[in-house]
Amino acid sequence: MKKTRLKNLNVLITAAGSPGVPGLIKSLRLVDERKFKIIASDMDENAAGLFLADKYYIEPPSSNPQYALKILNICRREKVDVVIPNVGLVTLSKNLKKFEKNEIKVLVSKNTKMLEKVIHKGRLFSFLEENNIPVPEYSEVNNLDEFINAVRSLGYPKKPVCFKPVISEGTRGFRILRPDANRLDFLLKEKPGTPITTLENVVSILSKADNFPNLLVMEYLPGKEYSTDLLLKNGRVVAAVPRYRQITKLGLSIVGMVENNKDVLELSKKVAEISGLDFNINIQIKYSEDGKPKVIEINPRVSGSLVLCTAANVNLAYLGVKALLDEPFSVAPVKYGVKMIRFWSELYINEDGSTYTL
């Protein structure tokens, strides 16, 4: 029997330099029932995702006051049906009506207040605690004395302690304080980019700051880390795929596996449904020293490793688009045990802009 083909769609993917965009594009290209024209945008003219798309634009920083208008103008020019954003979520959520007037759908929750709460890690942890969701022990600090006291109260130097800015993307600003950190070893033996340091090193830097940054000091969780990709429709979870983050580098899963961890799945679903968010979200969970799963992050967008879900039989990227368009869909059974290993690849660009691979 011949399959019914649906209307082809023009999709704009923003921040196309994000590590997960190549996998996102692959997931959309794999869809049989319709074709996609993929437009990509990024601040960086060398972002790989731009050259994997059918057409691309250079976008301004999401902090630009005109960001939403610039994205809307791209959409009008390219007759975009759906926007899949990787940045500027709050800004786009606040401007949804402008996009809807132009018959453009944006894959972001309308719950702007919750988006703002999720982005601020201190408010997020407070919200989760109020709803009896386990989170790491933490303190939000605003000056150097508070920072030092919070680190000590969490067990340093007997235990490692970590911290990050209350508002940050991925692993930016994340550090692990370990008293046994050997500066000479880090200088000569470790690759650049390690998050491990000492309290003394950090204090020497923070003491010179003109304006002390708002930081979240947290319990260090040494156990296994999981990331659950979920899809919500009208506040209800309709699909969920838990992944074990076996090896990570710079916040990205390099080796991961779809694992049927019922505790992680149950906790992720509970968090998702109390969040009041819709469409694609990602929840990160890590195990504590005493073996308890604790929520460390909610990412209210498509995640950087969503392609692993596609490989495990659940194309959450496309299901998110269908949910956004209010199209009926079914969710295939998750293929547990699928493992992903990431590696570097190359893309070559001719003078005329055409691309090829070897």
Side-chain angles (χ1 to χ4, degrees):
M1 183 181 291
K2 196 173 181 180
K3 288 185 178 179
T4 303
R5 291 195 60 79
L6 300 178
K7 176 198 169 195
N8 294 341
L9 295 175
N10 294 344
V11 173
L12 172 65
I13 299 174
T14 70
S18 305
V21 167
L24 175 58
I25 291 174
K26 283 180 190 175
S27 296
L28 296 180
R29 300 284 195 211
L30 285 169
V31 172
D32 288 328
E33 65 183 13
R34 64 170 24 119
K35 296 295 180 186
F36 289 92
K37 178 184 177 183
I38 296 175
I39 301 101
S41 62
D42 197 271
M43 290 168 47
D44 182 1
E45 64 180 11
N46 292 310
L50 298 179
F51 302 98
L52 298 172
D54 300 303
K55 193 170 182 179
Y56 71 83
Y57 289 82
I58 303 302
E59 69 181 26
S62 59
S63 57
N64 187 311
Q66 297 297 310
Y67 180 75
L69 180 59
K70 297 284 186 182
I71 296 300
L72 180 57
N73 286 339
I74 294 172
C75 292
R76 286 170 173 158
R77 195 172 301 128
E78 295 297 328
K79 297 181 179 177
V80 165
D81 300 293
V82 172
V83 180
I84 303 180
N86 285 290
V87 295
L89 303 176
V90 171
T91 299
L92 293 172
S93 181
K94 287 179 177 178
N95 286 276
L96 280 177
K97 287 184 179 178
K98 293 177 183 177
F99 285 84
E100 289 168 356
K101 282 181 182 177
N102 289 270
E103 298 184 339
I104 301 161
K105 297 282 191 177
V106 183
L107 193 64
V108 68
S109 176
K110 293 181 179 180
N111 190 343
T112 306
K113 287 185 178 179
M114 191 61 199
L115 289 175
E116 290 174 329
K117 193 173 289 185
V118 162
I119 288 167
H120 190 288
K121 305 311 174 192
R123 293 178 196 161
L124 171 63
F125 278 16
S126 178
F127 168 79
L128 293 173
E129 277 189 317
E130 289 167 5
N131 286 276
N132 299 313
I133 300 296
V135 297
E137 290 184 54
Y138 72 97
S139 292
E140 192 174 333
V141 301
N142 299 288
N143 61 57
L144 188 59
D145 286 340
E146 287 180 356
F147 175 76
I148 294 170
N149 290 336
V151 170
R152 298 286 187 194
S153 70
L154 286 172
Y156 188 91
K158 290 183 179 179
K159 292 181 178 181
V161 173
C162 53
F163 73 91
K164 69 184 298 184
V166 293
I167 298 176
S168 65
E169 290 277 345
T171 57
R172 291 174 179 86
F174 175 77
R175 295 293 182 270
I176 300 169
L177 302 177
R178 260 185 29 198
D180 59 343
N182 186 309
R183 285 188 290 178
L184 185 61
D185 282 349
F186 286 134
L187 178 65
L188 300 177
K189 296 179 181 179
E190 297 286 341
K191 293 181 179 180
T194 177
I196 299 171
T197 185
T198 64
L199 177 60
E200 293 71 26
N201 286 348
V202 173
V203 167
S204 70
I205 296 168
L206 291 177
S207 62
K208 295 170 185 157
D210 293 331
N211 295 301
F212 193 90
N214 196 2
L215 299 174
L216 198 69
V217 181
M218 299 171 287
E219 166 194 8
Y220 174 66
L221 304 176
K224 291 173 72 173
E225 185 175 352
Y226 288 83
S227 188
T228 306
D229 292 303
L230 304 104
L231 178 63
L232 295 101
K233 183 77 185 290
N234 299 321
R236 186 177 66 86
V237 173
V238 293
V241 182
R243 301 182 277 106
Y244 167 39
R245 287 160 61 90
Q246 190 173 343
I247 299 175
T248 60
K249 289 183 181 177
L250 301 176
L252 186 68
S253 183
I254 303 302
V255 179
M257 184 174 70
V258 178
E259 183 181 303
N260 190 10
N261 184 315
K262 289 182 170 54
D263 290 336
V264 167
L265 193 56
E266 183 180 336
L267 180 57
S268 299
K269 287 180 176 179
K270 183 178 179 182
V271 171
E273 294 197 345
I274 65 168
S275 74
L277 295 170
D278 258 334
F279 309 121
N280 295 86
I281 73 167
N282 170 266
I283 295 171
Q284 288 178 246
I285 292 169
K286 209 165 188 290
Y287 277 81
S288 63
E289 191 175 17
D290 57 357
K292 294 178 181 176
K294 298 188 177 185
V295 177
I296 57 174
E297 197 95 33
I298 299 178
N299 299 302
R301 54 172 171 74
V302 292
S303 73
S305 296
L306 199 68
V307 68
L308 177 50
C309 301
T310 303
N313 209 33
V314 184
N315 191 336
L316 281 171
Y318 182 48
L319 293 182
V321 171
K322 288 183 75 68
L324 180 66
L325 297 176
D326 206 23
E327 294 179 355
F329 61 87
S330 59
V331 181
V334 179
K335 188 179 175 184
Y336 288 109
V338 175
K339 188 173 186 176
M340 174 188 73
I341 299 175
R342 275 196 165 112
F343 62 95
W344 285 102
S345 187
E346 301 81 28
L347 183 67
Y348 302 95
I349 305 165
N350 292 312
E351 284 186 315
D352 64 1
S354 60
T355 61
Y356 65 99
T357 58
L358 298 180

